[in-house]
Amino acid sequence: MLRLARENGSWGYRRIHGELAGLGIKVAPSTVWQILKSAGIDPAPRRDGPGWAEFPRSQAQGILALDFFTADLLNGSKVYVLAVIEHGTRRVLGRAAGTEPADGPGGCRQAGEVRAA
């Protein structure tokens, strides 16, 4: 535990606890914190970058949302729709619709149509 903390100075007790759990070592997070504190190892430094709440806003231009849904038409038939929306502008970048679900070649065809739009 102390070796992990010394070799990875940016890791806090939560990250070290997670790494230990991944290795199959069961120890409470509070125990990890207590051992590190007793050894004189300071907590992980605060991150200067944006917090998680700010991240989506700062990256919105590069985030795309894809939605695959069905729509029932007035004549009783069903169509499968694939839509792509850019978060930053909230603009629809592409869409494709068909009467077959996106299994196999049909799905590839719809994805290609959206990408080309």
Side-chain angles (χ1 to χ4, degrees):
M1 182 181 318
L2 295 176
R3 180 177 167 196
L4 281 174
R6 287 189 183 105
E7 291 178 1
N8 303 285
S10 64
W11 289 7
Y13 74 94
R14 289 183 182 155
R15 173 71 186 267
I16 293 171
H17 171 260
E19 293 294 325
L20 292 172
L23 295 170
I25 300 170
K26 294 184 179 183
V27 61
S30 59
T31 303
V32 174
W33 177 82
Q34 196 171 34
I35 291 170
L36 295 179
K37 184 178 176 187
S38 297
I41 297 174
D42 294 329
R46 289 289 292 171
R47 308 310 189 268
D48 291 337
W52 180 245
E54 299 169 41
F55 176 76
R57 283 191 298 274
S58 66
Q59 299 296 319
Q61 293 301 107
I63 298 174
L64 300 177
L66 280 79
D67 195 6
F68 186 71
F69 58 94
T70 60
D72 296 321
L73 301 180
L74 294 175
N75 66 2
S77 64
K78 181 182 290 193
V79 292
Y80 299 88
V81 182
L82 177 66
V84 180
I85 301 171
E86 183 181 38
H87 273 267
T89 61
R90 297 185 183 207
R91 203 176 75 199
V92 176
L93 295 180
R95 67 261 172 249
T99 56
E100 297 295 322
D103 291 330
C108 294
R109 185 187 79 248
Q110 284 187 345
E113 289 171 6
V114 168
R115 193 172 134 205

